[in-house]
Amino acid sequence: MVTLKTSSNLTLNEIKEAIETQIEHSYLEKYIQKPVIDDDKLFILSSIINNTPNSDSKKKHYIITAMLVQIALDTHDLVSRREEHGETGRNKKQRQLTVLAGDYYSGLYYYLLSRLDDIPMIHMLASAIKEINELKMTVYYKEYESVSEFMNSVMQIESLLIRRIAEFFQRDSINEFTGNWLLTRKLMREKSSFLNKESSLIFELLTKGPAHRIDYNHVVTTVEQFIQNSTRRAEETISQLPGHFQSLRLHVHAIIDSIGNNTTVLEEG
């Protein structure tokens, strides 16, 4: 990963370590999976917030707070998946603790924001959370007329928090790139899980419904087409961003080059 620095030479890894310190909870870690910090979302958030006139300390608080919101949302997603698989016994305790963990991470970001005394930011995040949860209910239960419509909803869920933050800081020139890139990365992860016979909510919704009913043998090809389209659009839009997004541009191109090399190796093999 490309190292991103603030004016105080704070690296992305240092921010990530600070987030990990915030979410560390020895009891929860005994029973549930440790939360995953999404590097792409962290990189985009850092690129947005580091380009604001706030102090370095305030920038750091904003980035950590936003990522805690994202982690809380992602943690609650794990609960719905477990319920669908009807786990009982010890797993029931895991499910209950996962709910509490999501609430715990939510509480952390409110605590950090209260220290910043930033009521507008709190209102914006609360509104974004409400929008995201409403979109999730739509994705879980709606029968879409097309796969494109479904993918657009997935894109909205993946990127809405960051897009609202970009708008809050008047840096929304990044929003089209953000939507396409985060959709690309989400679909890549889901495709990998599906091919490895692991749980993939998107593939389940596309093959078993209610989102759509794609033939099982064609679903990977269908998703791959959307990966290619969103990747191409992400490349186009990131090239149009101002110069202060150069670190993000290098990060994205490095990942795209890596994807291309891996694909070539597989095709040659």
Side-chain angles (χ1 to χ4, degrees):
M1 176 184 289
V2 177
T3 300
L4 179 68
K5 294 184 178 181
T6 66
S7 57
S8 62
N9 293 319
L10 185 69
T11 67
L12 201 65
N13 284 338
E14 288 172 318
I15 295 175
K16 193 170 182 178
E17 287 173 5
I19 295 169
E20 288 173 343
T21 299
Q22 288 287 342
I23 63 178
E24 193 174 57
H25 195 294
S26 58
Y27 180 75
L28 289 175
E29 289 173 13
K30 287 181 181 178
Y31 295 96
I32 64 173
Q33 176 186 340
K34 189 174 181 179
V36 175
I37 299 172
D38 189 311
D39 287 337
D40 289 285
K41 291 176 181 176
L42 177 56
F43 214 120
I44 296 171
L45 275 169
S46 298
S47 298
I48 294 167
I49 295 173
N50 283 331
N51 182 41
T52 64
N54 295 294
S55 67
D56 291 327
S57 174
K58 203 165 187 178
K59 289 175 184 177
K60 182 179 177 182
H61 275 295
Y62 278 135
I63 295 168
I64 293 173
T65 298
M67 286 306 298
L68 286 173
V69 174
Q70 189 65 62
I71 289 168
L73 290 165
D74 293 344
T75 301
H76 281 140
D77 280 349
L78 296 175
V79 180
S80 59
R81 292 192 187 192
R82 287 193 179 114
E83 287 178 334
E84 288 174 5
H85 287 82
E87 295 183 346
T88 58
R90 184 175 187 276
N91 289 328
K92 183 177 180 181
K93 181 174 184 178
Q94 287 182 317
R95 187 167 63 248
Q96 292 169 337
L97 285 171
T98 303
V99 174
L100 292 175
D103 294 341
Y104 172 68
Y105 304 138
S106 298
L108 285 176
Y109 84 75
Y110 278 120
Y111 168 70
L112 289 176
L113 282 179
S114 68
R115 293 176 62 189
L116 287 176
D117 192 26
D118 196 331
I119 301 302
M121 183 73 163
I122 293 174
H123 283 317
M124 181 274 293
L125 290 173
S127 176
I129 291 168
K130 180 176 180 290
E131 284 186 81
I132 291 168
N133 286 330
E134 288 173 351
L135 276 168
K136 285 180 179 179
M137 290 301 100
T138 300
V139 165
Y140 295 158
Y141 299 111
K142 179 179 177 179
E143 183 175 345
Y144 287 87
E145 294 184 3
S146 68
V147 179
S148 294
E149 185 187 4
F150 170 74
M151 289 299 182
N152 184 62
S153 291
V154 174
M155 178 192 290
Q156 297 299 318
I157 290 170
E158 284 299 300
S159 65
L160 193 144
L161 179 67
I162 294 178
R163 289 189 291 109
R164 291 291 177 267
I165 291 170
E167 291 163 6
F168 182 83
F169 288 111
Q170 299 181 328
R171 300 293 187 273
D172 52 342
S173 62
I174 199 173
N175 279 358
E176 188 174 355
F177 158 77
T178 298
N180 282 285
W181 184 243
L182 294 182
L183 176 62
T184 293
R185 301 295 278 161
K186 175 68 172 180
L187 294 181
M188 287 174 61
R189 290 192 299 271
E190 293 285 319
K191 187 181 98 171
S192 177
S193 295
F194 180 77
L195 292 175
N196 289 320
K197 311 298 182 183
E198 298 170 357
S199 174
S200 169
L201 180 61
I202 286 178
F203 277 77
E204 288 176 11
L205 290 170
L206 286 174
T207 55
K208 301 176 183 177
H212 218 70
R213 294 194 182 277
I214 301 174
D215 183 270
Y216 190 86
N217 296 320
H218 297 150
V219 67
V220 172
T221 303
T222 301
V223 171
E224 182 59 39
Q225 289 174 346
F226 280 92
I227 292 174
Q228 292 176 10
N229 290 339
S230 57
T231 301
R232 176 180 52 78
R233 191 61 189 146
E235 283 189 282
E236 292 172 355
T237 50
I238 199 172
S239 67
Q240 300 167 11
L241 294 178
H244 53 256
F245 288 110
Q246 179 62 12
S247 291
L248 177 62
R249 192 176 291 114
L250 292 172
H251 167 75
V252 169
H253 285 156
I255 292 174
I256 292 173
D257 289 344
S258 175
I259 295 168
N261 291 336
N262 290 338
T263 302
T264 301
V265 169
L266 287 172
E267 288 175 350
E268 291 176 351

